[in-house]
PDB file of all heavy atoms in Angstrom:
ATOM      1  N   GLY A   1       0.806  -1.191  -0.015  1.00 66.00           N
ATOM      2  CA  GLY A   1       0.009   0.018   0.004  1.00 66.00           C
ATOM      3  C   GLY A   1       0.873   1.259  -0.013  1.00 66.00           C
ATOM      4  O   GLY A   1       0.555   2.213  -0.706  1.00 66.00           O
ATOM      5  N   LYS A   2       1.920   1.236   0.774  1.00 68.00           N
ATOM      6  CA  LYS A   2       2.793   2.355   0.855  1.00 68.00           C
ATOM      7  C   LYS A   2       3.580   2.641  -0.460  1.00 68.00           C
ATOM      8  O   LYS A   2       3.754   3.791  -0.875  1.00 68.00           O
ATOM      9  CB  LYS A   2       3.800   2.222   2.003  1.00 68.00           C
ATOM     10  CG  LYS A   2       3.096   2.274   3.402  1.00 68.00           C
ATOM     11  CD  LYS A   2       4.061   1.988   4.514  1.00 68.00           C
ATOM     12  CE  LYS A   2       3.329   1.949   5.841  1.00 68.00           C
ATOM     13  NZ  LYS A   2       4.235   1.658   6.985  1.00 68.00           N
ATOM     14  N   LEU A   3       3.942   1.546  -1.119  1.00 72.00           N
ATOM     15  CA  LEU A   3       4.632   1.668  -2.417  1.00 72.00           C
ATOM     16  C   LEU A   3       3.662   2.266  -3.446  1.00 72.00           C
ATOM     17  O   LEU A   3       4.015   3.122  -4.264  1.00 72.00           O
ATOM     18  CB  LEU A   3       5.188   0.360  -2.866  1.00 72.00           C
ATOM     19  CG  LEU A   3       6.401  -0.198  -2.137  1.00 72.00           C
ATOM     20  CD1 LEU A   3       6.725  -1.601  -2.526  1.00 72.00           C
ATOM     21  CD2 LEU A   3       7.580   0.726  -2.340  1.00 72.00           C
ATOM     22  N   GLY A   4       2.421   1.744  -3.421  1.00 69.00           N
ATOM     23  CA  GLY A   4       1.430   2.277  -4.344  1.00 69.00           C
ATOM     24  C   GLY A   4       1.131   3.719  -4.109  1.00 69.00           C
ATOM     25  O   GLY A   4       0.993   4.506  -5.063  1.00 69.00           O
ATOM     26  N   ALA A   5       1.069   4.093  -2.810  1.00 68.00           N
ATOM     27  CA  ALA A   5       0.785   5.478  -2.462  1.00 68.00           C
ATOM     28  C   ALA A   5       1.880   6.414  -2.920  1.00 68.00           C
ATOM     29  O   ALA A   5       1.655   7.541  -3.346  1.00 68.00           O
ATOM     30  CB  ALA A   5       0.632   5.620  -0.939  1.00 68.00           C
ATOM     31  N   SER A   6       3.129   5.930  -2.847  1.00 74.00           N
ATOM     32  CA  SER A   6       4.306   6.765  -3.269  1.00 74.00           C
ATOM     33  C   SER A   6       4.165   7.101  -4.739  1.00 74.00           C
ATOM     34  O   SER A   6       4.527   8.175  -5.243  1.00 74.00           O
ATOM     35  CB  SER A   6       5.622   6.116  -2.958  1.00 74.00           C
ATOM     36  OG  SER A   6       5.772   4.920  -3.705  1.00 74.00           O
ATOM     37  N   MET A   7       3.677   6.123  -5.558  1.00 71.00           N
ATOM     38  CA  MET A   7       3.526   6.311  -6.963  1.00 71.00           C
ATOM     39  C   MET A   7       2.395   7.257  -7.282  1.00 71.00           C
ATOM     40  O   MET A   7       2.418   7.996  -8.277  1.00 71.00           O
ATOM     41  CB  MET A   7       3.271   4.972  -7.675  1.00 71.00           C
ATOM     42  CG  MET A   7       4.474   3.989  -7.564  1.00 71.00           C
ATOM     43  SD  MET A   7       4.087   2.364  -8.301  1.00 71.00           S
ATOM     44  CE  MET A   7       3.922   2.816  -9.981  1.00 71.00           C
ATOM     45  N   LEU A   8       1.350   7.293  -6.362  1.00 68.00           N
ATOM     46  CA  LEU A   8       0.180   8.132  -6.574  1.00 68.00           C
ATOM     47  C   LEU A   8       0.326   9.493  -5.901  1.00 68.00           C
ATOM     48  O   LEU A   8      -0.662  10.260  -5.893  1.00 68.00           O
ATOM     49  CB  LEU A   8      -1.072   7.432  -6.070  1.00 68.00           C
ATOM     50  CG  LEU A   8      -1.542   6.222  -6.923  1.00 68.00           C
ATOM     51  CD1 LEU A   8      -2.633   5.469  -6.208  1.00 68.00           C
ATOM     52  CD2 LEU A   8      -1.974   6.635  -8.298  1.00 68.00           C
ATOM     53  N   ARG A   9       1.463   9.753  -5.310  1.00 72.00           N
ATOM     54  CA  ARG A   9       1.630  11.026  -4.507  1.00 72.00           C
ATOM     55  C   ARG A   9       1.283  12.268  -5.326  1.00 72.00           C
ATOM     56  O   ARG A   9       0.557  13.134  -4.811  1.00 72.00           O
ATOM     57  CB  ARG A   9       3.074  11.081  -3.982  1.00 72.00           C
ATOM     58  CG  ARG A   9       3.250  12.317  -3.063  1.00 72.00           C
ATOM     59  CD  ARG A   9       4.613  12.228  -2.381  1.00 72.00           C
ATOM     60  NE  ARG A   9       4.669  11.069  -1.519  1.00 72.00           N
ATOM     61  CZ  ARG A   9       5.818  10.559  -1.011  1.00 72.00           C
ATOM     62  NH1 ARG A   9       6.995  11.166  -1.344  1.00 72.00           N
ATOM     63  NH2 ARG A   9       5.811   9.532  -0.217  1.00 72.00           N
ATOM     64  N   PRO A  10       1.714  12.355  -6.623  1.00 74.00           N
ATOM     65  CA  PRO A  10       1.321  13.533  -7.406  1.00 74.00           C
ATOM     66  C   PRO A  10      -0.170  13.688  -7.520  1.00 74.00           C
ATOM     67  O   PRO A  10      -0.722  14.823  -7.568  1.00 74.00           O
ATOM     68  CB  PRO A  10       2.019  13.281  -8.753  1.00 74.00           C
ATOM     69  CG  PRO A  10       3.140  12.361  -8.454  1.00 74.00           C
ATOM     70  CD  PRO A  10       2.654  11.514  -7.325  1.00 74.00           C
ATOM     71  N   VAL A  11      -0.864  12.575  -7.632  1.00 67.00           N
ATOM     72  CA  VAL A  11      -2.334  12.609  -7.698  1.00 67.00           C
ATOM     73  C   VAL A  11      -2.941  13.116  -6.437  1.00 67.00           C
ATOM     74  O   VAL A  11      -3.838  13.958  -6.481  1.00 67.00           O
ATOM     75  CB  VAL A  11      -2.869  11.192  -8.066  1.00 67.00           C
ATOM     76  CG1 VAL A  11      -4.421  11.228  -8.007  1.00 67.00           C
ATOM     77  CG2 VAL A  11      -2.391  10.661  -9.383  1.00 67.00           C
ATOM     78  N   PHE A  12      -2.443  12.654  -5.301  1.00 65.00           N
ATOM     79  CA  PHE A  12      -2.967  13.130  -3.999  1.00 65.00           C
ATOM     80  C   PHE A  12      -2.732  14.608  -3.848  1.00 65.00           C
ATOM     81  O   PHE A  12      -3.588  15.344  -3.297  1.00 65.00           O
ATOM     82  CB  PHE A  12      -2.324  12.343  -2.858  1.00 65.00           C
ATOM     83  CG  PHE A  12      -2.688  10.898  -2.836  1.00 65.00           C
ATOM     84  CD1 PHE A  12      -1.752   9.929  -2.478  1.00 65.00           C
ATOM     85  CD2 PHE A  12      -3.956  10.468  -3.130  1.00 65.00           C
ATOM     86  CE1 PHE A  12      -2.119   8.573  -2.431  1.00 65.00           C
ATOM     87  CE2 PHE A  12      -4.340   9.140  -3.126  1.00 65.00           C
ATOM     88  CZ  PHE A  12      -3.415   8.190  -2.795  1.00 65.00           C
ATOM     89  N   HIS A  13      -1.564  15.074  -4.306  1.00 68.00           N
ATOM     90  CA  HIS A  13      -1.241  16.489  -4.183  1.00 68.00           C
ATOM     91  C   HIS A  13      -2.224  17.326  -5.084  1.00 68.00           C
ATOM     92  O   HIS A  13      -2.635  18.411  -4.630  1.00 68.00           O
ATOM     93  CB  HIS A  13       0.223  16.765  -4.620  1.00 68.00           C
ATOM     94  CG  HIS A  13       1.215  16.299  -3.593  1.00 68.00           C
ATOM     95  ND1 HIS A  13       2.563  16.232  -3.847  1.00 68.00           N
ATOM     96  CD2 HIS A  13       1.041  15.933  -2.335  1.00 68.00           C
ATOM     97  CE1 HIS A  13       3.207  15.874  -2.775  1.00 68.00           C
ATOM     98  NE2 HIS A  13       2.294  15.597  -1.812  1.00 68.00           N
ATOM     99  N   ARG A  14      -2.551  16.817  -6.231  1.00 68.00           N
ATOM    100  CA  ARG A  14      -3.444  17.550  -7.121  1.00 68.00           C
ATOM    101  C   ARG A  14      -4.856  17.570  -6.499  1.00 68.00           C
ATOM    102  O   ARG A  14      -5.538  18.592  -6.569  1.00 68.00           O
ATOM    103  CB  ARG A  14      -3.531  16.915  -8.520  1.00 68.00           C
ATOM    104  CG  ARG A  14      -2.253  17.195  -9.344  1.00 68.00           C
ATOM    105  CD  ARG A  14      -2.518  16.910 -10.805  1.00 68.00           C
ATOM    106  NE  ARG A  14      -2.760  15.491 -11.047  1.00 68.00           N
ATOM    107  CZ  ARG A  14      -1.795  14.581 -11.330  1.00 68.00           C
ATOM    108  NH1 ARG A  14      -0.506  14.957 -11.306  1.00 68.00           N
ATOM    109  NH2 ARG A  14      -2.173  13.330 -11.525  1.00 68.00           N
ATOM    110  N   VAL A  15      -5.253  16.511  -5.848  1.00 67.00           N
ATOM    111  CA  VAL A  15      -6.569  16.484  -5.176  1.00 67.00           C
ATOM    112  C   VAL A  15      -6.616  17.500  -4.059  1.00 67.00           C
ATOM    113  O   VAL A  15      -7.576  18.232  -3.877  1.00 67.00           O
ATOM    114  CB  VAL A  15      -6.879  15.039  -4.678  1.00 67.00           C
ATOM    115  CG1 VAL A  15      -8.155  15.069  -3.793  1.00 67.00           C
ATOM    116  CG2 VAL A  15      -7.089  14.103  -5.854  1.00 67.00           C
ATOM    117  N   ARG A  16      -5.525  17.447  -3.256  1.00 66.00           N
ATOM    118  CA  ARG A  16      -5.449  18.387  -2.123  1.00 66.00           C
ATOM    119  C   ARG A  16      -5.516  19.867  -2.628  1.00 66.00           C
ATOM    120  O   ARG A  16      -6.221  20.672  -2.039  1.00 66.00           O
ATOM    121  CB  ARG A  16      -4.165  18.167  -1.341  1.00 66.00           C
ATOM    122  CG  ARG A  16      -3.949  19.086  -0.112  1.00 66.00           C
ATOM    123  CD  ARG A  16      -2.540  19.024   0.346  1.00 66.00           C
ATOM    124  NE  ARG A  16      -1.601  19.532  -0.720  1.00 66.00           N
ATOM    125  CZ  ARG A  16      -0.295  19.323  -0.734  1.00 66.00           C
ATOM    126  NH1 ARG A  16       0.295  18.665   0.218  1.00 66.00           N
ATOM    127  NH2 ARG A  16       0.405  19.825  -1.689  1.00 66.00           N
ATOM    128  N   ASP A  17      -4.757  20.114  -3.688  1.00 64.00           N
ATOM    129  CA  ASP A  17      -4.690  21.493  -4.171  1.00 64.00           C
ATOM    130  C   ASP A  17      -6.046  21.918  -4.734  1.00 64.00           C
ATOM    131  O   ASP A  17      -6.477  23.070  -4.606  1.00 64.00           O
ATOM    132  CB  ASP A  17      -3.627  21.645  -5.259  1.00 64.00           C
ATOM    133  CG  ASP A  17      -2.202  21.471  -4.681  1.00 64.00           C
ATOM    134  OD1 ASP A  17      -2.077  21.595  -3.435  1.00 64.00           O
ATOM    135  OD2 ASP A  17      -1.286  21.240  -5.461  1.00 64.00           O
ATOM    136  N   ALA A  18      -6.748  20.956  -5.394  1.00 65.00           N
ATOM    137  CA  ALA A  18      -8.062  21.267  -5.963  1.00 65.00           C
ATOM    138  C   ALA A  18      -9.042  21.649  -4.931  1.00 65.00           C
ATOM    139  O   ALA A  18      -9.947  22.508  -5.162  1.00 65.00           O
ATOM    140  CB  ALA A  18      -8.584  20.109  -6.776  1.00 65.00           C
ATOM    141  N   MET A  19      -8.941  21.082  -3.757  1.00 63.00           N
ATOM    142  CA  MET A  19      -9.897  21.341  -2.672  1.00 63.00           C
ATOM    143  C   MET A  19      -9.518  22.501  -1.774  1.00 63.00           C
ATOM    144  O   MET A  19     -10.231  22.928  -0.881  1.00 63.00           O
ATOM    145  CB  MET A  19     -10.046  20.105  -1.754  1.00 63.00           C
ATOM    146  CG  MET A  19     -10.737  18.943  -2.463  1.00 63.00           C
ATOM    147  SD  MET A  19     -12.405  19.372  -3.018  1.00 63.00           S
ATOM    148  CE  MET A  19     -13.240  19.744  -1.476  1.00 63.00           C
ATOM    149  N   ASP A  20      -8.337  23.100  -2.057  1.00 64.00           N
ATOM    150  CA  ASP A  20      -7.847  24.171  -1.223  1.00 64.00           C
ATOM    151  C   ASP A  20      -8.382  25.478  -1.735  1.00 64.00           C
ATOM    152  O   ASP A  20      -7.817  26.130  -2.643  1.00 64.00           O
ATOM    153  CB  ASP A  20      -6.300  24.209  -1.235  1.00 64.00           C
ATOM    154  CG  ASP A  20      -5.709  25.330  -0.400  1.00 64.00           C
ATOM    155  OD1 ASP A  20      -6.488  25.923   0.398  1.00 64.00           O
ATOM    156  OD2 ASP A  20      -4.558  25.672  -0.637  1.00 64.00           O
ATOM    157  N   TYR A  21      -9.505  25.960  -1.198  1.00 59.00           N
ATOM    158  CA  TYR A  21     -10.120  27.167  -1.702  1.00 59.00           C
ATOM    159  C   TYR A  21      -9.402  28.489  -1.232  1.00 59.00           C
ATOM    160  O   TYR A  21      -9.749  29.539  -1.699  1.00 59.00           O
ATOM    161  CB  TYR A  21     -11.611  27.227  -1.342  1.00 59.00           C
ATOM    162  CG  TYR A  21     -11.960  27.330   0.122  1.00 59.00           C
ATOM    163  CD1 TYR A  21     -12.053  28.597   0.736  1.00 59.00           C
ATOM    164  CD2 TYR A  21     -12.227  26.202   0.864  1.00 59.00           C
ATOM    165  CE1 TYR A  21     -12.387  28.695   2.067  1.00 59.00           C
ATOM    166  CE2 TYR A  21     -12.549  26.334   2.221  1.00 59.00           C
ATOM    167  CZ  TYR A  21     -12.659  27.549   2.804  1.00 59.00           C
ATOM    168  OH  TYR A  21     -12.977  27.643   4.106  1.00 59.00           O
ATOM    169  N   SER A  22      -8.379  28.356  -0.359  1.00 64.00           N
ATOM    170  CA  SER A  22      -7.630  29.532   0.038  1.00 64.00           C
ATOM    171  C   SER A  22      -6.812  30.116  -1.135  1.00 64.00           C
ATOM    172  O   SER A  22      -6.394  31.254  -1.095  1.00 64.00           O
ATOM    173  CB  SER A  22      -6.692  29.198   1.208  1.00 64.00           C
ATOM    174  OG  SER A  22      -5.678  28.305   0.785  1.00 64.00           O
ATOM    175  N   GLN A  23      -6.671  29.314  -2.168  1.00 65.00           N
ATOM    176  CA  GLN A  23      -5.949  29.766  -3.362  1.00 65.00           C
ATOM    177  C   GLN A  23      -6.651  30.928  -4.042  1.00 65.00           C
ATOM    178  O   GLN A  23      -6.068  31.731  -4.746  1.00 65.00           O
ATOM    179  CB  GLN A  23      -5.720  28.650  -4.365  1.00 65.00           C
ATOM    180  CG  GLN A  23      -6.997  28.076  -4.920  1.00 65.00           C
ATOM    181  CD  GLN A  23      -6.779  26.929  -5.837  1.00 65.00           C
ATOM    182  OE1 GLN A  23      -6.162  27.082  -6.907  1.00 65.00           O
ATOM    183  NE2 GLN A  23      -7.288  25.720  -5.485  1.00 65.00           N
ATOM    184  N   TYR A  24      -8.008  31.060  -3.774  1.00 67.00           N
ATOM    185  CA  TYR A  24      -8.809  32.077  -4.365  1.00 67.00           C
ATOM    186  C   TYR A  24      -8.815  33.346  -3.604  1.00 67.00           C
ATOM    187  O   TYR A  24      -9.430  34.356  -3.980  1.00 67.00           O
ATOM    188  CB  TYR A  24     -10.225  31.600  -4.649  1.00 67.00           C
ATOM    189  CG  TYR A  24     -10.310  30.354  -5.488  1.00 67.00           C
ATOM    190  CD1 TYR A  24     -10.668  29.105  -4.929  1.00 67.00           C
ATOM    191  CD2 TYR A  24      -9.958  30.360  -6.837  1.00 67.00           C
ATOM    192  CE1 TYR A  24     -10.738  27.990  -5.678  1.00 67.00           C
ATOM    193  CE2 TYR A  24     -10.022  29.234  -7.608  1.00 67.00           C
ATOM    194  CZ  TYR A  24     -10.347  28.007  -6.999  1.00 67.00           C
ATOM    195  OH  TYR A  24     -10.436  26.897  -7.791  1.00 67.00           O
ATOM    196  N   GLY A  25      -8.270  33.354  -2.399  1.00 75.00           N
ATOM    197  CA  GLY A  25      -8.254  34.548  -1.523  1.00 75.00           C
ATOM    198  C   GLY A  25      -9.150  34.351  -0.313  1.00 75.00           C
ATOM    199  O   GLY A  25      -9.406  33.225   0.167  1.00 75.00           O
ATOM    200  N   GLY A  26      -9.656  35.475   0.196  1.00 88.00           N
ATOM    201  CA  GLY A  26     -10.443  35.471   1.399  1.00 88.00           C
ATOM    202  C   GLY A  26     -11.928  35.624   1.185  1.00 88.00           C
ATOM    203  O   GLY A  26     -12.399  35.623   0.002  1.00 88.00           O
ATOM    204  N   ALA A  27     -12.645  35.763   2.270  1.00 92.00           N
ATOM    205  CA  ALA A  27     -14.079  36.016   2.214  1.00 92.00           C
ATOM    206  C   ALA A  27     -14.304  37.515   2.175  1.00 92.00           C
ATOM    207  O   ALA A  27     -13.749  38.234   3.022  1.00 92.00           O
ATOM    208  CB  ALA A  27     -14.783  35.361   3.442  1.00 92.00           C
ATOM    209  N   VAL A  28     -15.171  37.973   1.270  1.00 94.00           N
ATOM    210  CA  VAL A  28     -15.427  39.381   1.074  1.00 94.00           C
ATOM    211  C   VAL A  28     -16.791  39.732   1.689  1.00 94.00           C
ATOM    212  O   VAL A  28     -17.782  39.016   1.410  1.00 94.00           O
ATOM    213  CB  VAL A  28     -15.399  39.770  -0.412  1.00 94.00           C
ATOM    214  CG1 VAL A  28     -15.598  41.271  -0.596  1.00 94.00           C
ATOM    215  CG2 VAL A  28     -14.113  39.342  -1.055  1.00 94.00           C
ATOM    216  N   LEU A  29     -16.862  40.781   2.501  1.00 94.00           N
ATOM    217  CA  LEU A  29     -18.141  41.255   3.038  1.00 94.00           C
ATOM    218  C   LEU A  29     -18.714  42.203   2.005  1.00 94.00           C
ATOM    219  O   LEU A  29     -18.404  43.383   1.931  1.00 94.00           O
ATOM    220  CB  LEU A  29     -17.938  41.943   4.410  1.00 94.00           C
ATOM    221  CG  LEU A  29     -19.231  42.292   5.099  1.00 94.00           C
ATOM    222  CD1 LEU A  29     -20.081  41.034   5.370  1.00 94.00           C
ATOM    223  CD2 LEU A  29     -18.901  42.989   6.436  1.00 94.00           C
ATOM    224  N   LEU A  30     -19.554  41.634   1.093  1.00 94.00           N
ATOM    225  CA  LEU A  30     -20.160  42.433   0.021  1.00 94.00           C
ATOM    226  C   LEU A  30     -21.316  43.259   0.574  1.00 94.00           C
ATOM    227  O   LEU A  30     -22.072  42.844   1.406  1.00 94.00           O
ATOM    228  CB  LEU A  30     -20.659  41.532  -1.087  1.00 94.00           C
ATOM    229  CG  LEU A  30     -19.631  40.799  -1.948  1.00 94.00           C
ATOM    230  CD1 LEU A  30     -20.381  40.029  -2.984  1.00 94.00           C
ATOM    231  CD2 LEU A  30     -18.691  41.853  -2.617  1.00 94.00           C
ATOM    232  N   GLY A  31     -21.424  44.466  -0.018  1.00 95.00           N
ATOM    233  CA  GLY A  31     -22.519  45.356   0.387  1.00 95.00           C
ATOM    234  C   GLY A  31     -21.995  46.587   1.139  1.00 95.00           C
ATOM    235  O   GLY A  31     -22.771  47.430   1.632  1.00 95.00           O
ATOM    236  N   LEU A  32     -20.701  46.672   1.317  1.00 96.00           N
ATOM    237  CA  LEU A  32     -20.100  47.830   2.026  1.00 96.00           C
ATOM    238  C   LEU A  32     -19.554  48.808   1.008  1.00 96.00           C
ATOM    239  O   LEU A  32     -19.411  48.514  -0.156  1.00 96.00           O
ATOM    240  CB  LEU A  32     -18.930  47.362   2.948  1.00 96.00           C
ATOM    241  CG  LEU A  32     -19.329  46.352   4.020  1.00 96.00           C
ATOM    242  CD1 LEU A  32     -18.116  46.043   4.944  1.00 96.00           C
ATOM    243  CD2 LEU A  32     -20.448  46.881   4.916  1.00 96.00           C
ATOM    244  N   LYS A  33     -19.252  50.036   1.489  1.00 95.00           N
ATOM    245  CA  LYS A  33     -18.814  51.103   0.654  1.00 95.00           C
ATOM    246  C   LYS A  33     -17.434  50.846   0.008  1.00 95.00           C
ATOM    247  O   LYS A  33     -17.069  51.559  -0.911  1.00 95.00           O
ATOM    248  CB  LYS A  33     -18.848  52.439   1.427  1.00 95.00           C
ATOM    249  CG  LYS A  33     -20.250  52.897   1.823  1.00 95.00           C
ATOM    250  CD  LYS A  33     -20.184  54.099   2.711  1.00 95.00           C
ATOM    251  CE  LYS A  33     -21.595  54.564   3.176  1.00 95.00           C
ATOM    252  NZ  LYS A  33     -21.553  55.698   4.084  1.00 95.00           N
ATOM    253  N   ALA A  34     -16.682  49.969   0.669  1.00 96.00           N
ATOM    254  CA  ALA A  34     -15.339  49.602   0.102  1.00 96.00           C
ATOM    255  C   ALA A  34     -15.107  48.155   0.479  1.00 96.00           C
ATOM    256  O   ALA A  34     -15.725  47.608   1.393  1.00 96.00           O
ATOM    257  CB  ALA A  34     -14.268  50.515   0.761  1.00 96.00           C
ATOM    258  N   PRO A  35     -14.164  47.472  -0.227  1.00 95.00           N
ATOM    259  CA  PRO A  35     -13.891  46.088   0.071  1.00 95.00           C
ATOM    260  C   PRO A  35     -13.357  45.828   1.458  1.00 95.00           C
ATOM    261  O   PRO A  35     -12.423  46.513   1.935  1.00 95.00           O
ATOM    262  CB  PRO A  35     -12.810  45.698  -0.969  1.00 95.00           C
ATOM    263  CG  PRO A  35     -13.030  46.676  -2.108  1.00 95.00           C
ATOM    264  CD  PRO A  35     -13.425  47.966  -1.404  1.00 95.00           C
ATOM    265  N   VAL A  36     -13.992  44.870   2.147  1.00 96.00           N
ATOM    266  CA  VAL A  36     -13.513  44.420   3.450  1.00 96.00           C
ATOM    267  C   VAL A  36     -13.365  42.882   3.260  1.00 96.00           C
ATOM    268  O   VAL A  36     -14.286  42.189   2.994  1.00 96.00           O
ATOM    269  CB  VAL A  36     -14.517  44.702   4.583  1.00 96.00           C
ATOM    270  CG1 VAL A  36     -14.097  43.993   5.845  1.00 96.00           C
ATOM    271  CG2 VAL A  36     -14.593  46.185   4.819  1.00 96.00           C
ATOM    272  N   VAL A  37     -12.092  42.399   3.447  1.00 96.00           N
ATOM    273  CA  VAL A  37     -11.806  40.952   3.148  1.00 96.00           C
ATOM    274  C   VAL A  37     -11.177  40.304   4.376  1.00 96.00           C
ATOM    275  O   VAL A  37     -10.267  40.812   4.982  1.00 96.00           O
ATOM    276  CB  VAL A  37     -10.840  40.878   1.962  1.00 96.00           C
ATOM    277  CG1 VAL A  37     -10.616  39.435   1.613  1.00 96.00           C
ATOM    278  CG2 VAL A  37     -11.410  41.662   0.771  1.00 96.00           C
ATOM    279  N   LYS A  38     -11.722  39.185   4.711  1.00 94.00           N
ATOM    280  CA  LYS A  38     -11.303  38.363   5.859  1.00 94.00           C
ATOM    281  C   LYS A  38     -10.769  36.989   5.420  1.00 94.00           C
ATOM    282  O   LYS A  38     -11.452  36.308   4.687  1.00 94.00           O
ATOM    283  CB  LYS A  38     -12.489  38.205   6.825  1.00 94.00           C
ATOM    284  CG  LYS A  38     -12.317  37.118   7.911  1.00 94.00           C
ATOM    285  CD  LYS A  38     -11.293  37.571   8.988  1.00 94.00           C
ATOM    286  CE  LYS A  38     -11.289  36.558  10.124  1.00 94.00           C
ATOM    287  NZ  LYS A  38     -10.701  35.271   9.742  1.00 94.00           N
ATOM    288  N   THR A  39      -9.587  36.632   5.862  1.00 92.00           N
ATOM    289  CA  THR A  39      -9.070  35.319   5.588  1.00 92.00           C
ATOM    290  C   THR A  39      -9.109  34.489   6.895  1.00 92.00           C
ATOM    291  O   THR A  39      -9.232  35.006   7.957  1.00 92.00           O
ATOM    292  CB  THR A  39      -7.635  35.351   5.028  1.00 92.00           C
ATOM    293  OG1 THR A  39      -6.781  36.023   5.947  1.00 92.00           O
ATOM    294  CG2 THR A  39      -7.592  36.030   3.723  1.00 92.00           C
ATOM    295  N   HIS A  40      -8.886  33.216   6.725  1.00 88.00           N
ATOM    296  CA  HIS A  40      -8.896  32.238   7.809  1.00 88.00           C
ATOM    297  C   HIS A  40      -7.788  32.610   8.830  1.00 88.00           C
ATOM    298  O   HIS A  40      -6.720  33.094   8.454  1.00 88.00           O
ATOM    299  CB  HIS A  40      -8.697  30.845   7.294  1.00 88.00           C
ATOM    300  CG  HIS A  40      -9.114  29.764   8.258  1.00 88.00           C
ATOM    301  ND1 HIS A  40      -8.371  29.371   9.310  1.00 88.00           N
ATOM    302  CD2 HIS A  40     -10.251  29.027   8.329  1.00 88.00           C
ATOM    303  CE1 HIS A  40      -9.000  28.430  10.012  1.00 88.00           C
ATOM    304  NE2 HIS A  40     -10.125  28.199   9.457  1.00 88.00           N
ATOM    305  N   GLY A  41      -8.030  32.301  10.100  1.00 88.00           N
ATOM    306  CA  GLY A  41      -7.071  32.595  11.160  1.00 88.00           C
ATOM    307  C   GLY A  41      -5.706  31.951  10.948  1.00 88.00           C
ATOM    308  O   GLY A  41      -4.669  32.417  11.394  1.00 88.00           O
ATOM    309  N   SER A  42      -5.717  30.771  10.280  1.00 88.00           N
ATOM    310  CA  SER A  42      -4.503  30.026  10.046  1.00 88.00           C
ATOM    311  C   SER A  42      -3.734  30.393   8.768  1.00 88.00           C
ATOM    312  O   SER A  42      -2.863  29.734   8.310  1.00 88.00           O
ATOM    313  CB  SER A  42      -4.781  28.496  10.015  1.00 88.00           C
ATOM    314  OG  SER A  42      -5.698  28.233   8.940  1.00 88.00           O
ATOM    315  N   THR A  43      -4.175  31.533   8.233  1.00 90.00           N
ATOM    316  CA  THR A  43      -3.561  32.033   6.959  1.00 90.00           C
ATOM    317  C   THR A  43      -2.094  32.207   7.054  1.00 90.00           C
ATOM    318  O   THR A  43      -1.558  32.752   8.076  1.00 90.00           O
ATOM    319  CB  THR A  43      -4.264  33.366   6.557  1.00 90.00           C
ATOM    320  OG1 THR A  43      -5.594  33.072   6.065  1.00 90.00           O
ATOM    321  CG2 THR A  43      -3.501  34.087   5.516  1.00 90.00           C
ATOM    322  N   LYS A  44      -1.399  31.804   5.961  1.00 92.00           N
ATOM    323  CA  LYS A  44       0.056  32.048   5.841  1.00 92.00           C
ATOM    324  C   LYS A  44       0.375  32.923   4.684  1.00 92.00           C
ATOM    325  O   LYS A  44      -0.548  33.385   3.982  1.00 92.00           O
ATOM    326  CB  LYS A  44       0.824  30.724   5.782  1.00 92.00           C
ATOM    327  CG  LYS A  44       0.715  29.936   7.115  1.00 92.00           C
ATOM    328  CD  LYS A  44       1.727  28.798   7.168  1.00 92.00           C
ATOM    329  CE  LYS A  44       1.739  28.103   8.508  1.00 92.00           C
ATOM    330  NZ  LYS A  44       2.767  27.029   8.593  1.00 92.00           N
TER     331      LYS A  44
END
């Protein structure tokens, strides 16, 4: 299983990256006079 996983590692990385919505930025509070944007507390 571990050998098979090592061969599929690039696939797992692509799946992880596809589900990572932080790549699109933060959450925007729409409806204000100017942009106010909040990101997750664990943001790097």
Side-chain angles (χ1 to χ4, degrees):
K2 293 176 183 178
L3 288 173
S6 66
M7 296 176 66
L8 290 172
R9 186 171 297 166
V11 175
F12 293 142
H13 286 170
R14 287 197 296 272
V15 171
R16 180 196 62 196
D17 292 344
M19 292 301 298
D20 181 16
Y21 65 88
S22 66
Q23 62 183 297
Y24 303 110
V28 183
L29 189 57
L30 288 181
L32 300 183
K33 295 175 182 176
V36 171
V37 184
K38 165 71 174 68
T39 58
H40 199 280
S42 60
T43 287
K44 291 194 174 182

